Amino acid sequence: MFQPTPPVLTINERQTLVLGASLLSAGITASKPDLTTRSEGGSACAVLRNTSSQAVTVQYRFYWYDGKGLDVLPYDDVRSVLVQAQSEVRISGAH
């Protein structure tokens, strides 16, 4: 009986982003996000870099947490961005 392998997530302690193993093996890396907080909410942006010779589609979502570490709902929608070969793209989100 075939047992699918669960997706592997990699957490880099220098950044607060979680990248799937398939993105890492495709040559995608991410900068540490820049976070901005305001009284009406916050925003974050990060740079995705593609070190491979092929374009890679990345699906992403920003998650937000309150001071107690609880999810701030509703979750952002999942977004997609095409990162061209040997280039970078800036992604952002706000709540």
Side-chain angles (χ1 to χ4, degrees):
M1 178 189 265
F2 174 74
Q3 293 291 325
T5 304
V8 176
L9 297 178
T10 302
I11 299 173
N12 181 333
E13 294 299 326
R14 295 175 311 194
Q15 60 194 38
T16 54
L17 296 175
V18 178
L19 299 174
S22 62
L23 286 179
L24 293 172
S25 65
I28 298 295
T29 61
S31 69
K32 183 176 179 179
D34 292 322
L35 302 173
T36 304
T37 57
R38 295 182 213 109
S39 59
E40 65 275 2
S43 63
C45 59
V47 175
L48 301 178
R49 289 182 186 84
N50 183 355
T51 60
S52 77
S53 60
Q54 305 237 336
V56 177
T57 298
V58 176
Q59 293 185 326
Y60 69 95
R61 172 187 294 178
F62 285 88
Y63 291 89
W64 301 95
Y65 302 93
D66 65 15
K68 297 177 185 175
L70 302 173
D71 290 338
V72 175
L73 299 175
Y75 292 133
D76 282 347
D77 291 334
V78 174
R79 300 178 199 157
S80 291
V81 64
L82 180 66
V83 187
Q84 296 294 337
Q86 302 295 317
S87 67
E88 59 186 39
V89 144
R90 187 174 197 84
I91 60 172
S92 62
H95 80 97

